[in-house]
Amino acid sequence: MDGLTMMLRKRGGALRLLVAVAAAAMLACTVGRLISVGGRLGWQQNVNYTDWASHQHLYMGDWLMFRFDKTMYNVLEVNQTNYEQCNDHEFINNITRGGRDVFQLTKARPYYFLSSGGYCYNGMKVAINVEVYVPAPEPASQNNSPLKTSSRVVLSIVSAIATSIWWHGL
Ligand SMILES: *[C@@H]1O[C@H](CO)[C@@H](O)[C@H](O)[C@H]1NC(C)=O
Ligand SMILES: *[C@@H]1O[C@H](CO)[C@@H](O)[C@H](O)[C@H]1NC(C)=O
Ligand SMILES: *[C@@H]1O[C@H](CO)[C@@H](O)[C@H](O)[C@H]1NC(C)=O
């Protein structure tokens, strides 16, 4: 085996590893984060969800988890008008299952949820604005979230692969 063949074999192995790492990293990103609505308080009465939502940054692909007492409450996705009026009759999605129920935010738009049974009038409603994730420009500031960092890692891995394929072929 000559030097060139050995060199190419080594490159092939490194490339396969790179592809595997990138695939795993991209999977981790598209899966999104799991955000518990209301934090440790969950989905119940006497929580100000407007205040809670104002401290969140939610991105496409993230999941909401509603934790609640299913014997009293439910979770319905509604439109803006029905959110404002606490109207539970023309809901878009019924998210209620067992009381630890998840919902993926697949679009960059506002989402509205409420509980029926009159609890909406007691504040059991939440409006969530979902953003498209845009990586922070370089140079990065100090307060990077893990999400931003992992996206940047994926970007650099992807560009490394592209460069590698460009130079060596697969
Ligand atoms: C909930 O919080 C928002 C934002 O902090 C505030 O404007 C609003 O008055 C609060 N609502 C209630 C019912 O306390
Ligand atoms: C919400 O849906 C109701 C009917 O279910 C409709 O009358 C209303 O215009 C809708 N509001 C928005 C903001 O789409
Ligand atoms: C929502 O779904 C749950 C579970 O399937 C069901 O028990 C409940 O009646 C539904 N609620 C509405 C308002 O359709």
Side-chain angles (χ1 to χ4, degrees), residues 11 15 18 155-170:
R11 281 223 174 97
L15 188 58
L18 218 55
L155 279 181
S156 53
I157 292 171
V158 168
S159 69
I161 290 172
T163 311
S164 192
I165 291 171
W166 172 258
W167 283 108
H168 309 294
L170 261 174

Side-chain angles (χ1 to χ4, degrees), residues 62-80:
D62 283 348
W63 295 78
L64 293 178
M65 177 183 261
F66 290 88
R67 293 180 296 115
F68 57 96
D69 179 351
K70 66 169 180 172
T71 64
M72 296 177 74
Y73 313 127
N74 67 3
V75 188
L76 304 174
E77 186 197 351
V78 295
N79 72 14
Q80 186 181 5

